[in-house]
Amino acid sequence: MHNPKWCLFYDVHTMPACPDVGHGFDADAFTDRMKDCGVDYVVFHARCNLGVAYYDTKVGIRHPSMKGDMFGDLAAACQRKGIALTAYINVGLSHEEALRHREWTVLTTEGYTYKPDRLNHFFRSMCYNTGYGDHVVEMVKELVSGYPIAGLFLDCMHQPPCIGIECMKEMKERDVDWEDQYQLAEFANLSRVRMAQRIADAARAINPQALLYFNGVCHEYQQDIGTYLEYECLPTGGWGYDSLPTWGRYIRTLGKPVLNMTGRFHKSWGDFGGIRTEASLENDCLHGIALGMRTTIGDHFHPRGDINHAVFDLIERIYSRLQKLEPWIDGAKPVTDIGVVAPEPGFDYVHPEEYCRGEVIVKGATRMLCELKCQFDVLSPKRSWDDYKLLVLPDEILLDAEKAAKVRRHLRNGGAIVSSAWSGADPEKNGFVLDEWGVKLEGESPHDPAYILFGPEVAEGNPDMPVTLYERGIQMAAREGTRTLAEIVAPYYNRHWDGEHGFVYNPPDKGTGKPAVTLSGHVAHISHPVFTSYFNDAPVPMRQLVANLIDKMMPDPLVKADSLPSFARAMVTEQPGRRMVHILAYVPERRGARAEMIEEPIELRDVPLSLRVDGKTPQRVYLAPTEDELPFETVNGYTQTTVPVINGYAMVVFEE
Ligand SMILES: [Zn+2]
């Protein structure tokens, strides 16, 4: 099975009206440019979201103007040049096929087969429980048996709920309440997971080594179906810069090879004439590498076959620089000491509104811990939380019996916990589940806004004044033996309308005696949802509070880099015999209405860096790939060095 490393991904969505598909295509020239970039793996469309095929299909619809067998020519050229080629099929969308087979489409709960916004390409989607499901399987067989491909990339597999006759009959058989949106969404998920399994079975029956990834099927649902994972994330194309750090730290815990898929577009997919700056695209690649992911860059193939040399030049410059790091990237695994638990439903987006509530929390926690240079994974609520020194339970980690058992095990093994707001409460939010929290839950905070006054143990770096808690939290009381590290200060009056005035000026009044932060044994608890608040408004005192608590609970973090600016990132990976600290110094700048721009790397100088020794014997510290030696010493269990210059990125290697 091919192990993808330096990859490209091509969209080839082409209107059936296009008059000259492939008329200028030179597969050799195209793959020569891939070789220039050191590419070992490429995903290219066999059949696009317009529903037309770029190979000589007997099953589907050839693009009407395609000359020859474009995909076949590419497959042959890739085979000659040792590039693994994966065939892309858009499973969720297939517009030309939908046009000819309206009975294959989703009938939405509102009764649409064509939704009103016809320029949104999801206006019409395919139902896998119709004859379309069999049709897709036939195309899969045709491709896997007919072409020398490494695998399949199955896209847009987020089938919306369907009330067409096939789905309706099965829902009735299964006693699914088809008038209940929640149950409808569950059935739609069952349909897409089942489709993924059918595709996998058909492909593996022909090629047991086929690489398989199902984009749109939640990653945990394809654990036993697919072979590798990708995370599609175009930071300037709608995903933003908080997604990769969060999702990357989650997906890498699933035990499969993971590709970080970015794109060359200034905006998003389909932006033919848009191009990223070099620093911006390189930042994405490096960020994924630092997280232990391999890289793939998305482009859109010109339907005539024109080679976009400017894009290839850009990718070649970036890949040729990064490929010098290959010896230190190959097989490298992340090293962490903190686990951040994602709220239910974790990264399961079957019910998008539930997912989005949790996403704010987990992205806030990720941003905060990244700025603090913590080494952490983001954990599924449904999988293991073992093997971390510290668990962060942000804002809304409610403990059912299973989660309570995980927390108990963690504490029994000597682990520490930083939790906030409702985390630690039972699913009905009646009280804290474990005595170890050392606090009594008294319901929602009565104050709007509440203020926090930091006590001496969490005062470091924070202002000596009542600081606003922007989001509503809980009210709690400390039990005997629990220490109060910060106090809630009430406002004179809450925000409200009394019939005469809108109360919008709400200065802090007096301390309430109620704790804002408590410490009980190995559990620190903050009364308010500081992680949600950090995602929404980024108040620095909240980050400083969490930093002070982490420092108290885990005084010896894996990495110490206190003088690195907040915008810089530090991540650790390891290979046998060495650990690598990746330092990134890039800042996306908000420009105008929408753009988030990285135009240049930022240069940092003389940055002290310490890596916890962890029982190893440091032999050598150097920069990769130049192998410039860095002087180091071992002090108090840390290998300490100073990085002279970081120009956007540095990899510091600790041979041990
Ligand atoms: Zn259906």
Side-chain angles (χ1 to χ4, degrees):
M1 197 176 293
H2 186 77
N3 185 15
K5 292 181 174 172
W6 303 101
C7 317
L8 296 178
F9 176 97
Y10 284 95
D11 258 2
V12 197
H13 308 298
T14 307
M15 304 314 297
C18 184
D20 53 3
V21 168
H23 289 215
F25 183 52
D26 178 342
D28 260 319
F30 186 49
T31 47
D32 279 347
R33 288 303 328 249
M34 292 185 202
K35 289 304 280 183
D36 294 341
C37 300
V39 165
D40 63 283
Y41 180 76
V42 61
V43 177
F44 195 89
H45 286 204
R47 203 268 279 147
C48 72
N49 74 20
L50 269 304
V52 289
Y54 304 95
Y55 69 100
D56 201 14
T57 178
K58 307 274 183 298
V59 177
I61 304 166
R62 270 177 65 101
H63 191 286
S65 74
M66 182 176 69
K67 206 174 132 196
D69 181 342
M70 201 163 72
F71 185 84
D73 292 348
L74 177 64
C78 284
Q79 195 176 33
R80 282 196 299 278
K81 293 174 189 178
I83 299 169
L85 169 68
T86 269
Y88 171 106
I89 300 176
N90 199 309
V91 182
L93 302 177
S94 187
H95 288 293
E96 184 64 24
E97 292 180 327
L99 197 61
R100 300 185 192 188
H101 290 276
R102 202 163 61 246
E103 75 281 8
W104 285 358
T105 60
V106 164
L107 181 64
T108 71
T109 50
E110 302 87 2
Y112 290 119
T113 49
Y114 295 8
K115 288 194 276 187
D117 181 3
R118 308 287 154 69
L119 294 184
N120 174 335
H121 49 230
F122 291 94
F123 80 91
R124 169 171 60 193
S125 54
M126 310 305 286
C127 175
Y128 312 147
N129 298 329
T130 64
Y132 176 72
D134 302 329
H135 171 75
V136 169
V137 168
E138 287 309 308
M139 278 196 113
V140 163
K141 289 183 190 166
E142 186 179 53
L143 277 162
V144 179
S145 59
Y147 294 88
I149 54 175
L152 296 167
F153 184 108
L154 295 312
D155 202 12
C156 295
M157 288 196 67
H158 31 68
Q159 180 186 326
C162 174
I163 58 164
I165 183 65
E166 300 84 0
C167 291
M168 184 58 75
K169 278 190 169 158
E170 189 179 347
M171 284 192 282
K172 287 181 176 174
E173 278 164 23
R174 289 173 175 268
D175 274 334
V176 172
D177 179 355
W178 50 273
E179 291 183 292
D180 178 295
Q181 290 300 322
Y182 193 91
Q183 293 192 36
L184 263 174
E186 289 286 320
F187 180 75
N189 185 52
L190 177 151
S191 301
R192 61 193 179 212
V193 172
R194 184 168 58 191
M195 187 73 233
Q197 187 68 61
R198 287 186 68 192
I199 290 170
D201 291 345
R204 287 209 182 93
I206 301 164
N207 176 7
Q209 297 298 310
L211 283 171
L212 297 169
Y213 173 63
F214 303 90
N215 204 30
V217 176
C218 301
H219 292 92
E220 282 172 68
Y221 288 99
Q222 55 180 301
Q223 273 299 86
D224 302 324
I225 307 175
T227 55
Y228 79 111
L229 298 170
E230 301 211 15
Y231 180 55
E232 177 187 354
C233 178
L234 281 54
T236 59
W239 280 258
Y241 279 97
D242 286 294
S243 292
L244 175 63
T246 306
W247 279 80
R249 283 177 171 82
Y250 155 67
I251 298 177
R252 71 187 187 185
T253 66
L254 300 179
K256 287 200 163 84
V258 188
L259 292 184
N260 162 35
M261 180 203 279
T262 179
R264 64 88 163 170
F265 314 102
H266 176 67
K267 292 176 91 172
S268 199
W269 298 107
D271 176 18
F272 286 92
I275 190 161
R276 301 278 293 281
T277 64
E278 193 160 330
S280 154
L281 189 56
E282 189 159 3
N283 164 72
D284 295 359
C285 301
L286 285 165
H287 207 119
I289 287 168
L291 289 170
M293 305 160 89
R294 302 304 307 226
T295 308
T296 184
I297 298 176
D299 189 3
H300 201 124
F301 181 75
H302 191 286
R304 192 165 49 218
D306 300 5
I307 294 175
N308 190 329
H309 288 288
V311 169
F312 267 120
D313 290 347
L314 173 70
I315 294 170
E316 185 179 348
R317 286 195 300 275
I318 292 173
Y319 270 8
S320 60
R321 272 198 297 275
L322 301 188
Q323 281 155 2
K324 294 192 175 74
L325 298 168
E326 179 63 34
W328 295 273
I329 298 172
D330 191 29
K333 299 269 181 284
V335 190
T336 56
D337 45 18
I338 299 176
V340 173
V341 178
E344 288 285 1
F347 293 84
D348 177 337
Y349 43 84
V350 171
H351 307 288
E353 60 299 331
E354 284 184 4
Y355 163 72
C356 290
R357 275 202 301 275
E359 187 186 33
V360 170
I361 296 171
V362 77
K363 281 185 170 174
T366 298
R367 166 161 284 284
M368 196 187 271
L369 268 60
C370 284
E371 292 174 5
L372 294 174
K373 321 301 182 262
C374 295
Q375 302 307 311
F376 63 103
D377 289 318
V378 175
L379 306 176
S380 163
K382 297 173 186 68
R383 293 170 59 88
S384 169
W385 303 351
D386 290 342
D387 301 326
Y388 298 95
K389 288 175 188 291
L390 174 72
L391 285 180
V392 175
L393 307 184
D395 298 357
E396 187 89 19
I397 308 299
L398 304 176
L399 302 184
D400 56 19
E402 193 186 323
K403 292 187 186 67
K406 289 187 198 181
V407 169
R408 259 192 215 103
R409 190 163 62 237
H410 171 75
L411 289 169
R412 209 167 44 234
N413 292 335
I417 286 179
V418 171
S419 79
S420 58
W422 299 98
S423 293
D426 63 85
E428 284 72 43
K429 300 185 174 178
N430 290 324
F432 287 104
V433 175
L434 302 183
D435 292 341
E436 286 87 339
W437 255 248
V439 279
K440 183 170 178 294
L441 180 59
E442 297 182 332
E444 191 177 68
S445 166
H447 309 300
D448 178 20
Y451 296 88
I452 181 171
L453 194 59
F454 300 105
E457 286 185 79
V458 288
E460 192 188 322
N462 264 332
D464 183 15
M465 61 178 261
V467 172
T468 311
L469 294 160
Y470 293 112
E471 306 284 336
R472 196 85 166 227
I474 63 161
Q475 179 156 288
M476 60 185 186
R479 293 186 188 280
E480 203 179 317
T482 298
R483 284 155 59 208
T484 294
L485 306 188
E487 186 190 3
I488 292 289
V489 174
Y492 275 77
Y493 13 71
N494 276 3
R495 283 176 68 85
H496 73 291
W497 157 243
D498 73 346
E500 295 170 52
H501 293 287
F503 282 64
V504 293
Y505 296 100
N506 320 87
D509 185 11
K510 295 190 177 64
T512 59
K514 295 291 182 187
V517 180
T518 55
L519 181 63
S520 166
H522 286 111
V523 181
H525 191 79
I526 305 167
S527 61
H528 280 61
V530 291
F531 299 101
T532 301
S533 182
Y534 205 68
F535 185 74
N536 289 338
D537 297 298
V540 173
M542 299 305 118
R543 188 189 70 207
Q544 187 60 36
L545 168 63
V546 170
N548 291 342
L549 289 175
I550 291 177
D551 190 40
K552 190 174 272 303
M553 311 304 283
M554 197 185 71
D556 303 318
L558 186 57
V559 169
K560 288 184 180 175
D562 294 341
S563 66
L564 263 183
S566 58
F567 62 77
R569 299 288 179 265
M571 288 160 269
V572 184
T573 56
E574 69 180 348
Q575 292 168 320
R578 62 190 179 202
R579 289 181 290 174
M580 282 65 67
V581 180
H582 308 252
I583 300 175
L584 279 93
Y586 292 90
V587 179
E589 181 195 15
R590 184 69 179 263
R591 291 190 182 173
R594 278 186 294 275
E596 284 201 280
M597 176 57 67
I598 293 175
E599 198 166 347
E600 304 87 8
I602 290 177
E603 187 177 288
L604 304 175
R605 286 185 172 269
D606 300 323
V607 175
L609 175 69
S610 299
L611 182 65
R612 197 174 60 213
V613 170
D614 276 352
K616 300 171 198 296
T617 310
Q619 311 280 339
R620 213 186 136 201
V621 178
Y622 59 88
L623 290 166
T626 58
E627 303 209 31
D628 290 342
E629 301 283 338
L630 297 180
F632 68 95
E633 55 182 343
T634 304
V635 183
N636 295 331
Y638 282 85
T639 307
Q640 297 182 344
T641 189
T642 298
V643 190
V645 183
I646 298 163
N647 188 22
Y649 176 79
M651 184 196 279
V652 186
V653 184
F654 294 74
E655 299 272 1
E656 301 160 322

